[in-house]
Amino acid sequence: MPTNPLVKVENVSKRFRVRGRELHAVSNVSFEIEAGKTFGLVGESGSGKSTLGRLVLRLLDANEGRITFNGKDITNLPNRQLRPLRQEMQIIFQDPQASMSPRMTIGRAIEDAMEIHKIGTKQSRRKRVDELLERVGLPSFVKYAFPHELSGGQLQRIGIARALSLNPKLIVCDEPVSALDVSIQVQVIHLLQELQRDLNLTYIFIAHNLAVVEYLSDEIAVLYLGEVVEQAPAEKLFKNPSHPYTQVLLQSILKIPEDPSSRQKMTHIQGEIPSPFNPPSGCTFHPRCPFATDVCRTQKPVAKHVDDDHKATCHLIG
Ligand code: SF4
């Protein structure tokens, strides 16, 4: 555990009421992230990973638990006190175009956040737009373009430039490469790595694909129906996946073979993710788990240590 983490999430839960029914989106999640590191959140859609990212940024309020940013408890911080901290906590979306006005030029879109936060003069902000475009590998004339004139990869670079414009410490990257072609994904991931190294950025990297988080993350939490089922340093998680859900997620990744004649056995997770309105009894993964026994159907497993810094929540462990 880092001694002085930039982000500390302690026993955080979030529930939504939808048409009179309660949905448990995130349940009792805890983790810490050291400055300059990447924490990967992985799971199928509906696992609660995006909700968790938004809870950390205080775009959503937690029902229970505590969130600390840079040593300050922000869980219930009023908006006025939260405002200066918002500059330090930014987000990159899967679809950056959705958060941009189609009638605003790219230059205006990048300048916008700086203006809202009253950073610099008009002249210094325009200079900063040029610097940011160069930083994300785009020519200066792109500032005159409109969002619909750019490719998906270029737009994601603009999304990154907008996030950087406020000099953040933390960026939540919410599926930032999922909608891009594989070759563009690699370029964007390399850019994020380069920026992290140069600016000591801290990332929460959200993805449904373990292969993508493996590449960037120092530590990974695997989420299933709003609960962390396994958490470990990235290397340990890939070397010794201990929860059956993580194991199946890993078996569904296409790996580059060392021997071109070798064949990889691909496994896909059985069934659909259950409804979060009515999660299964006992271990919520039991209807899809190839190792489920009677005890799994009735008793909820608790997190157990596989190693000092590696935990998994399964009756088979320990
Ligand atoms: Fe599978 Fe049982 Fe472990 Fe759940 S507790 S993951 S059902 S073996």
Side-chain angles (χ1 to χ4, degrees), residues 243-245 283-287 289-293 295-297 299 301 313-317:
H243 192 281
Y245 180 56
C283 171
T284 53
F285 188 55
H286 85 252
C289 180
F291 309 111
T293 60
V295 70
C296 304
R297 289 178 251 281
Q299 283 181 33
T313 308
C314 172
H315 288 305
L316 297 177
I317 294 157

Side-chain angles (χ1 to χ4, degrees), residues 239-256:
K239 221 178 202 166
N240 182 24
S242 300
H243 192 281
Y245 180 56
T246 315
Q247 290 166 2
V248 193
L249 279 181
L250 275 172
Q251 284 158 13
S252 63
I253 296 176
L254 186 62
K255 300 184 190 84
I256 298 166

Side-chain angles (χ1 to χ4, degrees), residues 16-318:
F16 295 103
R17 275 207 89 72
V18 184
R19 293 194 197 116
R21 297 173 74 193
E22 193 156 76
L23 183 153
H24 291 256
V26 172
S27 300
N28 201 23
V29 170
S30 300
F31 60 83
E32 294 182 5
I33 320 172
E34 195 180 329
K37 301 285 183 196
T38 300
F39 190 83
L41 284 175
V42 73
E44 291 164 284
S45 93
S47 61
K49 50 195 193 308
S50 292
T51 302
L52 189 49
R54 281 158 178 76
L55 287 167
V56 173
L57 295 176
R58 275 288 315 273
L59 296 174
L60 289 171
D61 290 334
N63 293 107
E64 277 126 37
R66 187 155 65 148
I67 297 161
T68 312
F69 177 74
N70 208 12
K72 195 176 183 88
D73 184 348
I74 62 164
T75 325
N76 298 306
L77 209 62
N79 264 333
R80 213 157 47 87
Q81 290 175 41
L82 200 57
R83 202 178 148 87
L85 288 179
R86 290 224 180 271
Q87 289 183 38
E88 299 180 9
M89 304 187 286
Q90 292 295 304
I91 185 163
I92 302 170
F93 299 100
Q94 179 178 351
D95 178 7
Q97 195 168 357
S99 62
M100 289 180 212
S101 162
R103 286 180 294 276
M104 214 182 241
T105 62
I106 295 301
R108 276 298 307 157
I110 299 174
E111 212 185 317
D112 203 33
M114 290 187 273
E115 202 174 324
I116 290 168
H117 285 273
K118 300 185 173 55
I119 295 175
T121 60
K122 202 168 193 57
Q123 203 179 14
S124 68
R125 286 195 292 266
R126 294 219 165 136
K127 190 165 169 263
R128 179 88 175 120
V129 168
D130 287 336
E131 284 166 10
L132 286 164
L133 285 172
E134 192 185 344
R135 198 73 189 79
V136 299
L138 291 172
S140 165
F141 62 76
V142 165
K143 66 187 172 202
Y144 302 115
F146 287 92
H148 72 272
E149 296 175 300
L150 301 185
S151 68
Q154 287 171 325
L155 280 171
Q156 198 48 281
R157 285 174 190 267
I158 299 300
I160 296 170
R162 289 180 83 196
L164 290 179
S165 69
L166 299 177
N167 293 318
K169 289 188 168 74
L170 169 72
I171 301 182
V172 171
C173 308
D174 191 359
E175 302 261 13
V177 296
S178 307
L180 304 175
D181 290 344
V182 175
S183 62
I184 310 293
Q185 284 188 10
V186 174
Q187 291 174 17
V188 172
I189 286 172
H190 282 159
L191 173 64
L192 288 169
Q193 280 180 316
E194 198 183 295
L195 293 168
Q196 180 170 51
R197 206 178 42 235
D198 295 351
L199 306 170
N200 196 37
L201 294 170
T202 305
Y203 293 143
I204 293 179
F205 195 91
I206 298 170
H208 59 271
N209 183 341
L210 256 175
V212 176
V213 279
E214 176 189 17
Y215 208 73
L216 269 167
S217 304
D218 296 286
E219 189 169 355
I220 296 172
V222 180
L223 281 168
Y224 187 75
L225 275 183
E227 295 174 354
V228 172
V229 294
E230 185 157 7
Q231 186 171 330
E235 216 182 304
K236 287 190 182 177
L237 191 99
F238 280 83
K239 221 178 202 166
N240 182 24
S242 300
H243 192 281
Y245 180 56
T246 315
Q247 290 166 2
V248 193
L249 279 181
L250 275 172
Q251 284 158 13
S252 63
I253 296 176
L254 186 62
K255 300 184 190 84
I256 298 166
E258 282 169 19
D259 172 2
S261 63
S262 69
R263 294 279 174 271
Q264 184 190 337
K265 187 170 166 281
M266 303 280 287
T267 310
H268 294 285
I269 310 169
Q270 306 168 15
E272 295 289 311
I273 194 161
S275 164
F277 286 108
N278 188 21
S281 59
C283 171
T284 53
F285 188 55
H286 85 252
R288 306 171 79 190
C289 180
F291 309 111
T293 60
D294 286 346
V295 70
C296 304
R297 289 178 251 281
T298 54
Q299 283 181 33
K300 202 165 178 56
V302 292
K304 289 184 198 144
H305 279 275
V306 178
D307 203 343
D308 287 355
D309 48 2
H310 183 175
K311 287 185 290 184
T313 308
C314 172
H315 288 305
L316 297 177
I317 294 157

